[in-house]
Amino acid sequence: MATARPRITSPDAWIGPEIQQDPAWICTLDGSDIAEVDAALARVKREGLRIPFDSAAFPLPRLRAKLDRILDEIENGRGFQLIRGIPRHRYSDGDCELIYWGITSYFGVPVSQNARGHLLGHVRDEGRQIDDPNARAYQTNVRMDFHTDMLPIDVLGLFCLRTAKSGGASKLTSALTIHNVLREERPDLLEALYGLFHLDWRGEEPAGEQPWFSIPMFSESRGKITTRICSLAYYESAARFGEQYRPTALQREALLAVQEIANRPELMLTMDFQEGDIQLINNHTMMHAREAYEDHPEPGRQRHLLRMWIAVPDGKRRPLADALADRYRWVQRGGIPAKAAAAA
């Protein structure tokens, strides 16, 4: 079966070996950068500011140019970047939160990422199980399959506070490369991914919304392809609201094909986080996964990442298809609205 879908040739349609050996995706901060970060941190603490604050409160006059280039790389280049060089051992957890917030405030506006209303979220094992339909995968220590995050947020950011005892490596793959592979190997499944799929809000739907939603997994706007592929559990649990919301046989085959292709060693990049690393991902073009991990038994040593969902200004962000407009309006309204029960 032939397809009319074009082959994607932009820099964000990369393959693993080319990227893994290319140090350009790591931006290492130098001594002058850290001096600016230290001065900005001291100012925030001196003025008694708390999160949220805007970038003007965290001045980075020299580093700002690097951050502008990083955002351009995320939006118009390979689609991701790692910032390394923050001397984590010098800072308390609270200092790290302020530094992370201050740096990422230069990329856009952080929005709520869950029904707890978290602008600055915490990715750690909360003892929850992935088969709990009201749990999200980041609240567990299990392996996470390749996915984009729930809302069509523009940039996903992670700051590594503490690493695990073992495991937990971060994996990235280009959804646009997967699009190209499907175009060649299974164009019928690629076409299926342009249709509507039903997904479970997993208990975090805003008031008045259905507990499930429907969107295409691939869509196009102004020549730019966007993906919205989530973890498989979000499709399967949508069936709790009615069998009509379960993936069809063709849809399930397409979703499984995406996972098979994403897990091909030649198509993925593996990152082992160092404490103090900041990973930034274009949530419209990149898919990310995580290996299962084992925590240290001592209290306070558990794997702990800080997470942010960042809405990029309209003139800089990727154009999205009309089919995603209803989902993106929640980004524009500040993300997932907080629920009193969840925040308690």
Side-chain angles (χ1 to χ4, degrees):
M1 175 182 174
T3 179
R5 305 291 177 185
R7 181 172 180 79
I8 303 168
T9 59
S10 49
D12 40 8
W14 46 261
I15 61 173
E18 294 176 355
I19 292 291
Q20 193 82 58
Q21 305 305 320
D22 181 359
W25 55 267
I26 302 177
C27 175
T28 302
L29 303 186
D30 59 28
S32 297
D33 297 327
I34 299 303
E36 280 197 350
V37 169
D38 284 341
L41 173 64
R43 172 178 169 169
V44 165
K45 295 172 73 173
R46 184 172 61 249
E47 296 181 2
L49 299 181
R50 295 187 176 185
I51 294 169
F53 54 81
D54 62 26
S55 60
F58 202 88
L60 300 170
R62 178 179 175 274
L63 179 54
R64 179 169 192 161
K66 282 187 181 179
L67 299 181
D68 288 343
R69 290 194 294 271
I70 286 170
L71 180 59
D72 184 65
E73 185 64 36
I74 294 167
E75 290 297 321
N76 303 303
R78 65 177 60 85
F80 70 95
Q81 190 82 38
L82 186 77
I83 300 176
R84 176 161 285 170
I86 294 173
R88 165 71 178 97
H89 63 280
R90 284 174 33 188
Y91 306 112
S92 68
D93 286 5
D95 287 346
C96 288
E97 292 182 3
L98 294 172
I99 290 169
Y100 179 41
W101 184 277
I103 288 174
T104 52
S105 67
Y106 283 85
F107 300 128
V109 178
V111 304
S112 171
Q113 55 199 261
N114 53 36
R116 302 172 186 177
H118 288 167
L119 298 178
L120 184 67
H122 300 270
V123 178
R124 54 193 171 191
D125 182 13
E126 299 180 16
R128 305 189 71 173
Q129 303 298 317
I130 193 61
D131 56 2
D132 175 357
N134 290 319
R136 286 170 61 183
Y138 72 86
Q139 298 166 332
T140 74
N141 68 346
V142 301
R143 177 187 176 275
M144 296 171 66
D145 56 19
F146 278 98
H147 64 283
T148 61
D149 272 13
M150 184 187 287
L151 280 190
I153 190 66
D154 302 305
V155 174
L156 166 65
L158 293 171
F159 180 105
C160 181
L161 272 181
R162 277 181 289 280
T163 57
K165 178 181 179 182
S166 63
S170 174
K171 296 179 181 295
L172 297 183
T173 193
S174 168
L176 306 182
T177 300
I178 294 172
H179 187 284
N180 284 342
V181 173
L182 286 168
R183 177 181 180 271
E184 298 301 321
E185 296 182 3
R186 289 297 304 271
D188 57 326
L189 298 184
L190 178 59
E191 289 306 312
L193 290 164
Y194 275 86
L196 290 180
F197 286 63
H198 309 298
L199 294 96
D200 190 348
W201 267 101
R202 306 287 280 189
E204 294 196 316
E205 68 278 3
E209 288 287 299
Q210 297 276 8
W212 50 269
F213 57 93
S214 303
I215 53 172
M217 298 299 95
F218 281 118
S219 56
E220 183 273 336
S221 177
R222 287 183 266 165
K224 299 283 190 179
I225 305 297
T226 290
T227 188
R228 289 276 79 236
I229 295 171
C230 292
S231 294
L232 292 171
Y234 287 70
Y235 304 90
E236 298 295 346
S237 64
R240 63 186 173 134
F241 306 112
E243 280 299 311
Q244 67 270 35
Y245 303 120
R246 188 182 299 280
T248 66
L250 182 64
Q251 287 178 327
R252 182 169 177 77
E253 184 181 4
L255 293 171
L256 290 174
V258 167
Q259 292 299 321
E260 185 276 318
I261 295 167
N263 279 283
R264 294 180 186 178
E266 68 273 19
L267 297 185
M268 73 170 71
L269 165 70
T270 300
M271 292 186 192
D272 286 309
F273 285 149
Q274 298 177 14
E275 293 184 354
D277 282 353
I278 299 175
Q279 182 193 66
L280 299 156
I281 304 170
N282 187 319
N283 192 45
H284 302 310
T285 61
M286 299 295 110
M287 294 174 65
H288 59 286
R290 182 196 70 199
E291 294 179 354
Y293 66 88
E294 178 187 0
D295 265 328
H296 292 278
E298 300 88 353
R301 292 195 62 195
Q302 285 77 19
R303 182 182 190 269
H304 190 173
L305 308 181
L306 303 176
R307 185 175 74 168
M308 288 174 67
W309 280 359
I310 304 166
V312 172
D314 285 349
K316 297 181 178 180
R317 69 180 177 88
R318 194 175 192 82
L320 300 180
D322 291 344
L324 302 181
D326 191 56
R327 296 289 289 167
Y328 198 79
R329 71 185 170 93
W330 290 113
V331 174
Q332 295 170 318
R333 291 180 179 184
I336 299 176
K339 294 182 179 180

